[in-house]
Amino acid sequence: MTPSGPTLAFVESPVQLLNVLEWIHARATAPADGRPLLDGVPSQVRSAAAPRGGPGAGAGPGAGRVRIVVLPPTDPMSRGQLRRMAALARDEGHEVRWQEARGGRLAPLKALAALAGDVRAARTVVVGDPFSRYVQLLLTLVRAEQLVVVDDGTATMEFIAQTARGERLVRWHRVGGGGLAGRVRELAYAPVSATARRRFTPADGAGRHVEVFSSMPVTAHGAMTLRVNDFAWTRARFGPPRLIKGTDLVGTSLVETGVVDPARYLDAVRALTRVHGATRYFAHRRESPEKLRALSEATGLEIVRPDLPLELIARRGPVGRTIVSFPSTVVHTLPYALTGTGVTVAVCDIDPDWLTGSASPRARGFLAGVTDSARGVRRLPAQAAPAAG
C-alpha cells in the first residue's frame, strides 16, 4: 500500500536517516504484490559483490521524492553525521529540511508551528523514534493514511513488545526519577503519549496502516505489517570493502546511559583487544572524549570517530576481517550490510556483574535478548572479556 500524495519523514539521528533511505529504496524495489517479507539474515560467505552504482543506484521507477525533516540533537558528533547523511539524501534527489527543535524552552513549540501544515498535508509519515516525545507530539497532528516506523536501533524490539502488551512507551534503559516535578510532567504529557500509542496500534478497518521497517528480529501484531530492512541501498551504493588484517571493535554508549560500569567496560575492552588482536575501536557517537582517551591509553587501540553510521563505514571499508561488538544494533544490521564480503561479525555477552546499581531492572533481560536473537553472528561469552582485572 503506497498512498498518493506527499511523503514526510522525521529523523533525529544519523541511523534513522540511513534507514529512511533504505525504506525508500525497499518501497521502490518491492515485489508487485507488495508483500512485506522478513527473511533470515544472509550467511556471511564470500560471494560475488553486490552491484555498485551512483546516486539512486538500484532505485526502481516510483522511488519518489521524499521530504525529510531533520530534528537534530545538540551533541556535535550527531549533528556532524546528520549533515553528512543529509548530503547523501540530497544526492538521492530528496528534499531535506533542517529544523532546530531543541536548545531553548520555546524551540519545540516554534518547530511544531513551522511543521504543522506539512504534517497535516502528508499522506504518508515516516518516523524513526517512536519513543521521542517530540515525534509523539507531532503525531497528534498527523492525518496520514500510512504511518511508517523505521529502525532506531534495538529500540524497535522494545517498541514492538510494548505496543503488543498495550503498555506506555518507555525506553528500556530509562529508570524512574525526577521527583514530584517529574511526576507532574509525566501526568501533563500522558494524553499526548496515549494518542501516539493509539496511532501506532490502529484498529482493523480504521482506514490507517502502520508499517514497521526493521532489521531486528521482531514480529508484527494487530494491524501492523513488517517489511525487512536488508540494507539493499547501502549494498548497492557502497563497497564491497577492502579487508584488512586484525579485528575491529565497535564501541557502545552503555556506560554513558548508566547501564554498564566504566571500570568493568574498560577491563572488557582491554581483554577483547588482547584475545582477538584488535587494532581499531569504532566509537559510538555518544561516547565521551574522556572515556575514549582512557580506552586508548589502556589498550593502544586506534580510536576512530566515524563520520557516518557504521553500516556505511564498514561497507565502504577498509574493515577488519572480524568485527566484535557488545549487544547493540550493529549485531543485527552489519550481517546484512556486509553479506558476501567474508567479514565475520561477533557479539560479546554482557556479564550481569558489569551492570551498575542504577541500571534499569529490564537492562539484563533486554541486553541478553539482543544477543540471543542476533542471526548470522558468532557468539562470544562474557568470560572472553572478564570484568575483573
Side-chain angles (χ1 to χ4, degrees), residues 204-282:
D204 288 324
R208 291 178 173 177
H209 175 70
V210 174
E211 176 186 313
V212 176
F213 180 67
S214 179
S215 300
M216 302 297 120
V218 294
T219 302
H221 59 83
M224 284 183 181
T225 60
L226 190 63
R227 189 193 301 267
V228 65
N229 178 6
D230 63 0
F231 285 85
W233 177 81
T234 294
R235 288 184 282 116
R237 188 76 158 79
F238 301 100
R242 178 173 62 88
L243 304 189
I244 58 177
K245 294 181 179 179
T247 295
D248 288 331
L249 298 185
V250 178
T252 175
S253 61
L254 290 173
V255 170
E256 283 71 16
T257 53
V259 176
V260 170
D261 178 78
R264 300 286 182 128
Y265 184 78
L266 176 60
D267 286 340
V269 172
R270 183 188 290 117
L272 286 172
T273 302
R274 182 180 64 253
V275 171
H276 296 280
T279 56
R280 297 189 300 177
Y281 180 97
F282 286 93

Side-chain angles (χ1 to χ4, degrees), residues 87-386:
L88 285 177
R90 292 188 180 101
D91 287 345
E92 295 293 308
H94 305 296
E95 177 187 350
V96 180
R97 174 175 175 176
W98 190 275
Q99 180 68 57
E100 297 288 353
R102 296 172 175 84
R105 184 171 297 179
L106 297 179
L109 295 178
K110 290 179 179 178
L112 190 65
L115 296 170
D118 289 340
V119 173
R120 292 192 180 101
R123 298 290 297 278
T124 300
V125 171
V126 185
V127 299
D129 182 5
F131 294 95
S132 165
R133 291 196 168 186
Y134 194 77
V135 166
Q136 292 181 9
L137 194 60
L138 285 169
L139 286 178
T140 63
L141 304 176
V142 167
R143 299 171 181 171
E145 300 168 8
Q146 184 178 38
L147 179 61
V148 179
V149 180
V150 302
D151 269 338
D152 183 36
T154 51
T156 305
M157 298 167 67
E158 193 74 349
F159 165 70
I160 293 288
Q162 290 180 11
T163 52
R165 295 190 297 260
E167 299 173 355
R168 67 191 186 98
L169 298 175
V170 180
R171 299 183 195 276
W172 68 268
H173 55 76
R174 184 178 173 188
V175 294
L180 178 60
R183 289 194 292 273
V184 169
R185 284 195 299 270
E186 289 291 334
L187 286 173
Y189 186 76
V192 174
S193 179
T195 298
R197 198 162 59 247
R198 288 192 296 270
R199 274 304 275 117
F200 287 126
T201 55
D204 288 324
R208 291 178 173 177
H209 175 70
V210 174
E211 176 186 313
V212 176
F213 180 67
S214 179
S215 300
M216 302 297 120
V218 294
T219 302
H221 59 83
M224 284 183 181
T225 60
L226 190 63
R227 189 193 301 267
V228 65
N229 178 6
D230 63 0
F231 285 85
W233 177 81
T234 294
R235 288 184 282 116
R237 188 76 158 79
F238 301 100
R242 178 173 62 88
L243 304 189
I244 58 177
K245 294 181 179 179
T247 295
D248 288 331
L249 298 185
V250 178
T252 175
S253 61
L254 290 173
V255 170
E256 283 71 16
T257 53
V259 176
V260 170
D261 178 78
R264 300 286 182 128
Y265 184 78
L266 176 60
D267 286 340
V269 172
R270 183 188 290 117
L272 286 172
T273 302
R274 182 180 64 253
V275 171
H276 296 280
T279 56
R280 297 189 300 177
Y281 180 97
F282 286 93
H284 188 281
R285 59 190 172 84
R286 292 200 182 108
E287 288 188 86
S288 70
E290 295 76 19
K291 171 187 162 186
L292 295 175
R293 191 178 307 113
L295 285 175
S296 178
E297 292 172 354
T299 64
L301 286 167
E302 175 191 355
I303 305 297
V304 180
R305 300 300 299 257
D307 60 355
L308 289 168
L310 188 59
E311 294 79 7
L312 299 185
I313 295 295
R315 184 70 196 181
R316 292 193 311 182
V319 66
R321 294 181 181 274
T322 300
I323 298 176
V324 176
S325 173
F326 295 100
S328 70
T329 303
V330 299
V331 304
H332 294 278
T333 60
L334 285 180
Y336 280 119
L338 294 173
T339 185
T341 63
V343 174
T344 297
V345 179
V347 56
C348 177
D349 286 336
I350 294 288
D351 190 308
D353 289 341
W354 302 357
L355 303 182
T356 65
S358 60
S360 163
R362 292 183 295 171
R364 179 176 178 178
F366 183 82
L367 291 170
V370 171
T371 300
D372 293 342
S373 59
R375 300 162 293 187
V377 303
R378 182 156 63 96
R379 184 84 173 260
L380 303 176
Q383 288 81 354

